[in-house]
Amino acid sequence: MHTSALVLFSGGQDSTTCLAWALDRYQCVETIGFDYGQRHAVELQCRTTVLKSLRERFPAWNGKLGEDHMLDMGLLGQVSDTALTKDKAIDFEKTGLPNTFVPGRNLLFMTFAAALAYRRGLTVLVGGMCETDYSGYPDCRDDTLKSLQVTLSLGLDQRMVVETPLMWIDKAATWRLAEQLGGKDLVSLILEESHTCYLGDRSQRHTWGYGCGKCPACELRQAGYETYRKGQKG
Ligand code: ZN
């Protein structure tokens, strides 16, 4: 049976919720993060804070939460020319995709995560990819991830299960999932400490957390949080 997992953990709302989901479900959970020269490098500091708070505030999870691994993926910044890694305005390309799309990013992340999981004896990879409330990134689609699961399992000659608990839910439902998993305490931890803003802005605190309030990631987070709050009151 699959009892151990590696969570792709960036320190954002989605991956923090995925980490809680994994801690609720598996006996042993490790985390992996990637530094690829992203403009929102502040996210990488937030991930350390989130891990520390999860340990302190959720003793039952602390015992299951194992090592954290950071990989230097600077080469991704070298090959890509996007608004996430270069100082340019967020816009749409001729392809219809936003220029925040980093081609190959999730394919590489999943492959490196699988290699690490193989070494660590972990058999499940958990990622926060989502097809419902997303920017149209093709490497976040369910078919891409299902196909990767097959490719990785074949290429490693070992079963790798790819789990994407957020695939079919929207941002409001992601907040609800966090509440189900860890109650109000987890919701407030995510609100205060997780980072979503593409521009790495943590100077402004809104009801839905920190961010510039204008980039697509902030807009999604805000809309999701407001819908979640309305649902609570109704
Ligand atoms: Zn923002």
Side-chain angles (χ1 to χ4, degrees):
M1 273 304 288
H2 300 286
T3 57
S4 63
L6 180 64
V7 179
L8 280 76
F9 177 64
S10 68
Q13 177 193 350
D14 290 347
S15 67
T16 303
T17 308
C18 283
L19 178 55
W21 179 89
L23 287 165
D24 183 60
R25 198 176 178 102
Y26 302 108
Q27 295 310 309
C28 166
V29 177
E30 298 189 6
T31 45
I32 183 171
F34 304 95
D35 185 348
Y36 58 100
Q38 56 267 60
R39 280 166 76 182
H40 48 308
V42 64
E43 199 177 72
L44 301 178
Q45 292 153 26
C46 290
R47 69 191 295 287
T48 312
T49 317
V50 170
L51 285 175
K52 186 166 173 283
S53 297
L54 278 174
R55 287 189 188 282
E56 287 169 1
R57 289 157 71 174
F58 297 89
W61 289 347
N62 184 27
K64 296 174 164 190
L65 186 53
E67 273 187 48
D68 178 40
H69 311 268
M70 269 303 289
L71 293 194
D72 179 359
M73 296 286 280
L75 69 151
L76 194 53
Q78 287 171 34
V79 296
S80 71
D81 175 27
T82 77
L84 279 196
T85 49
K86 298 271 163 60
D87 187 15
K88 60 188 207 179
I90 295 172
D91 202 358
F92 282 84
E93 302 281 8
K94 290 192 293 289
T95 54
L97 284 169
N99 64 357
T100 47
F101 173 58
V102 183
R105 177 173 56 172
N106 283 333
L107 306 180
L108 286 170
F109 285 2
M110 273 291 170
T111 305
F112 276 94
L116 183 83
Y118 185 93
R119 170 163 71 82
R120 302 287 301 163
L122 310 166
T123 60
V124 183
L125 303 174
V126 183
M129 297 81 183
C130 170
E131 220 181 279
T132 311
D133 226 10
Y134 78 148
S135 314
Y137 298 162
D139 58 351
C140 286
R141 289 179 192 147
D142 194 46
D143 283 353
T144 307
L145 276 304
K146 292 262 193 324
S147 150
L148 262 180
Q149 170 174 293
V150 175
T151 302
L152 294 170
S153 297
L154 287 172
L156 294 168
D157 197 21
Q158 182 185 294
R159 184 79 177 150
M160 281 288 161
V161 178
V162 175
E163 291 278 9
T164 51
L166 311 184
M167 184 57 75
W168 305 112
I169 66 176
D170 63 16
K171 287 278 183 243
T174 302
W175 286 109
R176 282 198 295 277
L177 176 61
E179 190 183 330
Q180 281 160 22
L181 292 165
K184 291 277 165 24
D185 203 23
L186 183 61
V187 171
S188 76
L189 187 158
I190 293 174
L191 206 57
E192 205 57 43
E193 290 170 4
S194 76
H195 184 84
T196 303
C197 176
Y198 279 153
L199 303 182
D201 186 342
R202 285 188 76 75
S203 63
Q204 304 171 67
R205 172 68 158 87
H206 313 266
T207 49
W208 44 268
Y210 292 91
C212 73
K214 295 185 185 73
C215 77
C218 280
E219 282 176 358
L220 261 183
R221 178 162 166 152
Q222 175 178 10
Y225 186 73
E226 283 168 2
T227 309
Y228 159 70
R229 291 286 292 162
K230 271 187 213 128
Q232 276 185 321
K233 284 168 193 153

